[in-house]
Amino acid sequence: MFSETNKGYTYEECKATADWLMAQTDIRPRIGIVCGSGLGGLANLLKDQVVFNYRDIPNFPQSTVHGHAGRLVFGTLKGRPCVCMQGRFHLYEGYPIQKITLPIRIFKLLGVDTVILTNAAGGLNQDFKVGDIMIMKDHINMPGFAGNNPLSGPNDERFGTRFPCMSDAYDRELQQLAMEVGQELGYGDFLREGVYCVLSGPSFETIAECRMLHRLGADAVGMSTVHEVIVARHCGMRVFALSLITNQAVMDYDSEEKANHEEVLQTGKQRSEQLERLVSTLVTRIEHNNIYA
């Protein structure tokens, strides 16, 4: 039933994995959440949990990054059925780009219609501080400039159109709703909005690269999320994304600062409670505002 090759992301294979999951749980999620580095605590908010280790899910990749638990968690958040990825996949882990976005296609086949993504990112905007939460309003897909796009190759119309629009990749209603929720929760001092740029990693950026990205209009830089967003929009799902600014990108040759993954995880731990409250409240408001069709 499942491919043993390096591929394993055809429509039939994705559907077989989705069917396998639905046979194991009665929960039919409408919201899919992807947790970034140090932010896996979001999944712990789910009630009536049904948990799958990635290694046990047919056709699923394995997470290899410290700070990513590698579990798919089904449950309810504020009464809404959800599925949550504790740990995602990245280009730098060596997977084909179609493989790292496979879970998003499986989300679609499970019945998910809204995807919420979180990530840890370096701040390029000099007005941003470590610990700020940035609502993503747009992205710059640098690997895509080099032809590394998750939609490359044959297109299956059962997932989506050959040439999907990305000018509306991030749902504006959800952005506005999140900003209102953040203000109500008293997060105005550290809630931002901006443009996220994705690079392949795993090396952090050079000073010259940070300066270039900032001049191109990027407010934050990271190694994830954008590929998942492209596939989610290809599948017709609504997208909302948050970046936790876990370090300030080094822009000055005289600086002694150095980016490191431990700092990323530590900042995630410190700000995780507020981020979890923001996301869980947003999920509740999506229901109350009848944003779903």
Side-chain angles (χ1 to χ4, degrees), residues 15-293:
K15 187 173 188 309
T17 301
D19 289 346
W20 183 89
L21 288 165
M22 288 192 289
Q24 314 294 317
T25 175
D26 293 330
I27 296 170
R28 298 294 178 261
R30 296 289 303 279
I31 297 173
I33 302 171
V34 181
C35 301
S37 296
L39 302 171
L42 277 167
N44 298 331
L45 298 178
L46 299 184
K47 307 295 184 185
D48 306 315
Q49 292 188 8
V50 181
V51 181
F52 302 91
N53 290 316
Y54 290 166
R55 65 177 178 270
D56 298 328
I57 303 174
N59 200 37
F60 226 71
Q62 308 302 306
S63 183
T64 66
V65 183
H66 178 54
H68 289 249
R71 305 191 317 159
L72 193 66
V73 183
F74 288 76
T76 58
L77 182 59
K78 306 288 188 177
R80 295 304 303 252
C82 299
V83 59
C84 187
M85 288 180 66
Q86 277 187 308
R88 55 151 57 91
F89 313 105
H90 309 79
L91 279 175
Y92 61 75
E93 293 176 81
Y95 292 115
I97 195 167
Q98 290 86 358
K99 191 75 171 181
I100 66 175
T101 53
L102 175 142
I104 303 298
R105 296 204 184 282
I106 293 171
F107 276 9
K108 174 65 175 180
L109 297 176
L110 290 172
V112 169
D113 48 27
T114 299
V115 179
I116 298 174
L117 305 111
T118 69
N119 64 57
L124 296 167
N125 188 319
Q126 297 303 289
D127 293 330
F128 287 5
K129 299 184 293 293
V130 171
D132 282 354
I133 296 173
M134 184 187 83
I135 295 172
M136 289 171 58
K137 66 178 182 180
D138 205 350
H139 69 237
I140 300 172
N141 178 17
M142 292 299 278
F145 292 172
N148 204 358
N149 188 297
L151 305 184
S152 296
N155 183 66
D156 193 318
E157 292 285 338
R158 289 172 291 183
F159 281 129
T161 182
R162 170 80 277 187
F163 302 108
C165 176
M166 286 295 143
S167 60
D168 60 349
Y170 300 88
D171 190 274
R172 293 185 178 91
E173 286 182 59
L174 294 178
Q175 291 174 48
Q176 182 60 39
L177 188 57
M179 194 63 76
E180 293 171 4
V181 167
Q183 294 295 333
E184 291 173 19
L185 293 173
Y187 296 172
D189 289 344
F190 57 85
L191 191 62
R192 316 286 187 180
E193 64 176 9
V195 176
Y196 176 93
C197 180
V198 63
L199 300 180
S200 298
S203 53
F204 287 105
E205 305 76 33
T206 67
I207 292 171
E209 287 166 349
C210 289
R211 289 179 170 185
M212 178 194 73
L213 297 176
H214 186 234
R215 287 175 180 171
L216 288 175
D219 297 292
V221 59
M223 305 173 190
S224 69
T225 306
V226 168
H227 318 306
E228 296 155 329
V229 170
I230 291 169
V231 169
R233 294 299 296 143
H234 181 243
C235 290
M237 293 185 283
R238 306 182 77 184
V239 171
F240 174 77
L242 291 171
S243 292
L244 176 59
I245 306 302
T246 50
N247 61 288
Q248 194 67 35
V250 180
M251 310 276 272
D252 184 353
Y253 285 103
D254 294 326
S255 173
E256 296 295 323
E257 294 292 321
K258 292 183 179 181
N260 64 85
H261 192 59
E262 287 67 33
E263 181 182 23
V264 168
L265 296 180
Q266 182 61 30
T267 305
K269 184 177 180 181
Q270 292 171 350
R271 189 61 87 189
S272 60
E273 186 178 331
Q274 286 100 330
L275 194 143
E276 290 163 11
R277 190 176 299 142
L278 177 62
V279 170
S280 61
T281 307
L282 176 65
V283 168
T284 306
R285 296 295 176 83
I286 290 174
E287 178 182 21
H288 288 168
N289 284 349
N290 293 319
I291 282 180
Y292 284 119

